[in-house]
């Protein structure tokens, strides 16, 4: 049976990656564990499902399931019905072909789990993924069928497109670890009228009436409560994340990534987030007297090791509780009992998003290729041509414990960045992913972790136990959005005399009360 359609929206544009982006495919790749999606012609693309899913999820968070299901379709099996109920989506999202920036290539990012006992890479938790570089363009083509001329779906879709223009909707994997941020460019929205004679002729002739989005009345959708944190910092010494590839003369190179058409050093969001998570786990294990983790021998054991439960009470209606899992991400679990007032915790996707952090020096891919391929005598000249005079080729050797001399086969070199200026770290905490009662405790846990970062207790990057990775924090700026309670006072928190300060009395009282209620005691 045909559906009554009043008009049709045709939406086109291009999504430009602000940083790396990964959308995986089923095809294999001998070079990486997690390959990018390719279509039948061998071209890189982003499936329509991977574009539609985040758009639907963004709208669902703001207007609810009922409104979203009307437009995006649904299917459910009711106990009293023999057949599933629902309908197909009124939104059609096409696959988006990918266009790489001129001269850019697909990058490879490493991922590794750190054993909380050994402090080294955990067994069976080492992988790499291919990512689209910053500046990659993805074609966007959406068709929306509207049942009425003044359908609310029109306003909702326009609001989602405006959010895309602001870079608020992320796509692909590892969205909370620096990947997936895009902005919408060259947006065009046209409408075809299907109820009038003129409109039908225009549609048959493939003509459309362009909408002026600036003068279009759009419903303002409710926002979500968030904290945006900017951290101004600088390294005290050499700091880098090791790249997977080695050079000809240099054994260990810093990781680089595309930025603004050139290359630069990068501290991935996954690396920063991993360091923050490890410290947050120490804090929670200490204050809640959670048993120390055990050495792992498998991937499943590693996931169990990082599962920090502050409370595990079978009689508690909230079930198992994981503040770390809610903040930093965890495998999704169903609650033992639903909480009617606040709903179950949204485990799985992390509430905290950490962006990739880039260095300020820029150099061309050609110059970096020359550094990788340089022989011992040519490395210094290649660095000078790239404008990287602050780089130092450091020589390291392991000492034989018996002879006291250099151990055979254990001499290696590292290309260490010294005196490099970095962009600020940027973190975003989405409080809508936390139960309302847990938000003060989660904020307190994050603030205690940032306190340790300010105090120099959290090194970042590679070789942190060998003199690298120490940082100095110059300032922290916290911006609150859609917060009306005492948490809105976080705007005033800053670094005072080298410590986090600026607390209002009501904020301090609330956070300490909630932290103590959950077994944390008073913060120092």
């Amino acid at each position: 049976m045909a559906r009554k359609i009043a008009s049709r929206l045709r939406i086109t544009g291009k999504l430009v990656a602000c940083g790396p982006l990964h959308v995986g495919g089923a095809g294999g790749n001998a070079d990486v564990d997690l390959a990018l999606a390719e279509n039948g012609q061998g071209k890189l693309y982003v499936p329509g499902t991977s574009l539609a899913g985040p758009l639907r999820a963004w709208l669902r968070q703001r207007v609810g399931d009922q409104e979203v299901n009307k437009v995006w379709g649904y299917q459910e099996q009711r106990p009293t019905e023999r057949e599933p109920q629902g309908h197909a989506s009124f939104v059609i999202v096409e696959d988006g072909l990918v266009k790489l920036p001129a001269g850019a290539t697909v990058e490879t990012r490493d991922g590794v789990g750190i054993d909380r006992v050994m402090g080294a890479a955990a067994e069976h938790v080492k992988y790499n993924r291919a990512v689209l570089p910053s500046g990659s363009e993805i074609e966007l083509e959406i068709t929306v069928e509207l049942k009425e001329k003044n359908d609310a779906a029109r306003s909702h879709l326009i609001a989602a497109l405006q959010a895309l223009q602001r870079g608020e909707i992320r796509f692909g994997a590892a969205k909370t670890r620096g990947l997936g941020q895009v902005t919408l460019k060259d947006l065009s929205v046209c409408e075809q009228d299907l109820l009038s004679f003129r409109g039908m002729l225009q549609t048959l002739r493939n003509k459309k009436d362009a909408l002026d989005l600036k003068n279009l009345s759009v419903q303002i959708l409710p926002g979500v409560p968030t904290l945006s944190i900017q951290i101004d910092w600088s390294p005290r010494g050499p700091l880098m994340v090791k790249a997977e590839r080695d050079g000809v003369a240099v054994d260990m190179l810093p990781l680089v990534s595309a930025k603004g058409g050139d290359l630069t050093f990068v501290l991935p969001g996954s690396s920063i987030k991993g360091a923050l998570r490890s410290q947050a786990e120490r804090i929670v294990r200490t204050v809640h007297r959670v048993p120390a983790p055990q050495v792992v021998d498998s991937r499943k054991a590693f996931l169990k090791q990082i599962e920090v439960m502050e409370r595990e009470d079978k009689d508690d209606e909230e079930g198992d509780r994981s503040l770390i899992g809610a903040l930093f991400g965890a495998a999704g679990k169903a609650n033992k009992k639903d909480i009617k007032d606040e709903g179950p915790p949204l485990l799985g996707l992390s509430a905290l998003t950490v962006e990739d952090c880039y260095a300020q020096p820029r150099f061309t891919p050609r110059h970096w290729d020359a550094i990788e391929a340089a022989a011992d005598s040519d490395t210094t000249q290649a660095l000078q041509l790239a404008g990287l005079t602050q780089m130092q080729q450091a020589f390291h050797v392991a000492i034989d414990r018996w002879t006291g001399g250099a151990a055979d086969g254990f001499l290696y070199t590292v290309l260490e960045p010294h005196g490099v200026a970095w962009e600020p770290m940027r973190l975003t905490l989405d409080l809508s992913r936390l139960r309302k009662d847990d938000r003060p405790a989660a904020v307190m846990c994050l603030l205690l972790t940032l306190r340790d970062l300010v105090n120099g207790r959290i090194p970042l990057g590679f070789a942190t136990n060998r003199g690298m990775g120490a940082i100095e924090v110059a300032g922290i700026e916290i911006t609150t959005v859609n917060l009306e309670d005492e948490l809105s006072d976080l705007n005033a928190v800053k670094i005072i005399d080298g410590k986090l300060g600026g607390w209002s009395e009501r904020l301090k009282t609330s956070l300490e009360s909630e932290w103590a209620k959950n077994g944390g005691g008073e913060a120092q």
Side-chain angles (χ1 to χ4, degrees):
M1 180 178 178
R3 301 188 292 191
K4 180 182 178 181
I5 303 299
S7 64
R8 181 187 293 132
L9 294 181
R10 298 286 192 180
I11 301 169
T12 58
K14 60 182 180 182
L15 300 173
V16 181
C18 302
L21 183 146
H22 173 88
V23 175
N29 189 321
D31 297 326
V32 294
D33 300 308
L34 302 173
L36 292 167
E38 294 184 358
N39 62 15
Q41 297 178 324
K43 297 180 180 179
L44 294 172
Y45 83 114
V46 176
T49 52
S50 297
L51 296 172
L55 290 172
R56 177 173 183 152
W58 187 88
L59 285 169
R60 175 181 173 271
Q61 196 175 22
R62 286 156 177 80
V63 301
D65 284 328
Q66 186 175 0
E67 288 297 318
V68 169
N69 289 345
K70 289 179 182 179
V71 181
W72 294 82
Y74 73 100
Q75 186 175 25
E76 63 180 17
Q77 182 72 55
R78 298 175 182 174
T80 58
E81 301 287 346
R82 291 185 178 181
E83 299 295 331
Q85 302 297 311
H87 61 81
S89 173
F90 288 88
V91 182
I92 302 171
V93 183
E94 305 292 343
D95 293 345
L97 289 177
V98 174
K99 179 182 178 182
L100 297 180
T105 58
V106 172
E107 300 177 3
T108 301
R109 290 287 180 93
D110 292 315
V112 62
I114 302 299
D115 189 298
R116 298 318 196 247
V117 177
M118 307 299 293
E123 289 284 343
H124 312 292
V125 196
K126 169 71 171 68
Y127 63 94
N128 57 18
R129 73 167 85 234
V131 298
L132 299 174
S134 173
S136 298
E137 297 179 0
I138 304 164
E139 295 179 0
L140 182 67
E141 184 177 346
I142 303 175
T143 302
V144 185
E145 296 177 337
L146 302 176
K147 293 183 287 185
E148 300 174 2
K149 285 190 175 182
N150 296 322
D151 199 325
R154 180 207 308 270
S155 181
H156 294 168
L157 260 296
I158 297 301
L161 293 174
Q162 291 175 344
L164 275 176
Q165 291 177 318
R166 297 190 297 268
E168 295 179 3
I169 305 178
R170 307 174 83 100
F171 297 88
K175 291 189 287 288
T176 64
R177 289 175 281 165
L179 305 188
Q181 187 178 25
V182 301
T183 56
L184 178 57
K185 306 292 185 181
D186 300 336
L187 174 61
S188 173
V189 181
C190 300
E191 186 167 11
Q192 296 174 329
D193 181 11
L194 303 181
L195 293 183
S196 67
F197 179 76
R198 176 184 174 276
M200 288 297 296
L201 286 179
Q202 292 283 82
T203 301
L204 292 174
R205 292 167 179 167
N206 199 28
K207 294 183 179 180
K208 303 174 283 288
D209 294 328
L211 298 180
D212 186 357
L213 299 183
K214 295 181 179 179
N215 298 326
L216 192 64
S217 177
V218 178
Q219 178 184 355
I220 299 178
L221 301 183
V224 296
T226 58
L227 296 180
S228 297
I229 304 171
Q230 177 174 302
I231 303 172
D232 297 315
W233 67 286
S234 60
R236 293 183 175 178
L239 183 146
M240 59 178 268
V241 169
K242 179 182 174 298
E244 185 179 59
R245 295 176 58 183
D246 298 336
V248 173
V250 181
D251 299 304
M252 297 183 183
L253 295 167
L255 180 66
V256 298
S257 184
K259 188 69 173 177
D262 291 321
L263 294 180
T264 188
F265 307 118
V266 62
L267 193 56
S270 57
S271 180
I272 301 172
K273 189 175 180 181
L276 296 177
R277 177 172 187 147
S278 294
Q279 185 66 12
E281 287 178 9
R282 295 187 189 100
I283 293 172
V284 172
R285 286 186 182 277
T286 300
V287 300
H288 289 279
R289 298 177 178 85
V290 178
Q294 302 299 312
V295 178
V296 301
D297 58 359
S298 67
R299 183 178 182 275
K300 185 176 180 180
F302 173 74
L303 294 176
K304 188 68 177 177
Q305 185 192 60
I306 64 175
E307 190 178 67
V308 183
M309 293 293 184
E310 307 94 76
R311 183 168 67 225
E312 193 170 357
D313 189 349
K314 295 181 180 180
D315 298 327
D316 193 309
E317 67 175 2
E318 295 181 4
D320 296 346
R321 178 175 181 161
S322 175
L323 187 64
I324 296 298
L327 264 176
F328 294 94
K333 289 184 177 180
N335 250 5
K336 294 179 179 177
K337 293 183 180 179
D338 283 347
I339 303 172
K340 295 182 179 179
D341 294 336
E342 298 298 335
L346 298 171
L347 292 179
L349 184 67
S350 166
L352 181 67
T353 298
V354 182
E355 306 291 352
D356 283 2
C357 187
Y358 295 92
Q360 292 184 2
R362 301 287 193 266
F363 40 90
T364 65
R366 180 173 58 84
H367 283 140
W368 188 250
D369 289 341
I371 293 172
E372 289 183 336
D376 285 322
S377 58
D378 300 328
T379 300
T380 301
Q381 182 181 0
L383 290 171
Q384 290 176 347
L385 291 175
L388 298 175
T389 55
Q390 68 273 52
M391 302 291 291
Q392 175 180 316
Q393 185 177 358
F395 292 83
H396 300 268
V397 63
I399 301 301
D400 189 299
R401 271 39 175 187
W402 177 253
T403 65
D408 187 28
F410 282 88
L411 174 65
Y412 63 95
T413 58
V414 180
L415 193 61
E416 299 178 348
H418 287 260
V420 173
W422 292 78
E423 296 176 352
M425 298 182 203
R426 293 181 173 85
L427 290 66
T428 303
L429 180 63
D430 182 357
L431 294 173
S432 68
R433 296 201 62 82
L434 302 168
R435 274 194 295 250
K436 192 171 183 180
D437 291 343
D438 288 343
R439 291 176 186 177
V443 170
M444 190 65 170
C445 181
L446 179 59
L447 290 176
L448 290 173
T449 305
L450 294 179
R451 174 206 62 182
D452 290 344
L453 184 71
V454 171
N455 292 339
R457 299 172 186 168
I458 307 178
L460 301 174
F462 165 74
T464 56
N465 292 329
R466 287 174 280 166
M468 299 181 67
I471 71 169
E472 181 176 354
V473 177
I476 288 183
E477 180 181 350
I478 301 179
T479 304
T480 62
V481 180
N482 298 317
L483 285 173
E484 297 179 354
D485 54 12
E486 61 274 1
L487 291 181
S488 62
D489 294 347
L490 286 165
N491 284 319
V493 174
K494 56 186 178 181
I495 295 179
I496 301 176
D497 296 331
K499 299 180 180 180
L500 279 180
W503 317 86
S504 68
E505 192 60 35
R506 72 165 185 166
L507 175 62
K508 181 179 179 182
T509 301
S510 174
L511 292 182
E512 288 186 347
S513 174
E514 291 297 326
W515 188 246
K517 185 188 301 183
N518 289 288
E522 293 188 3
Q524 300 296 323

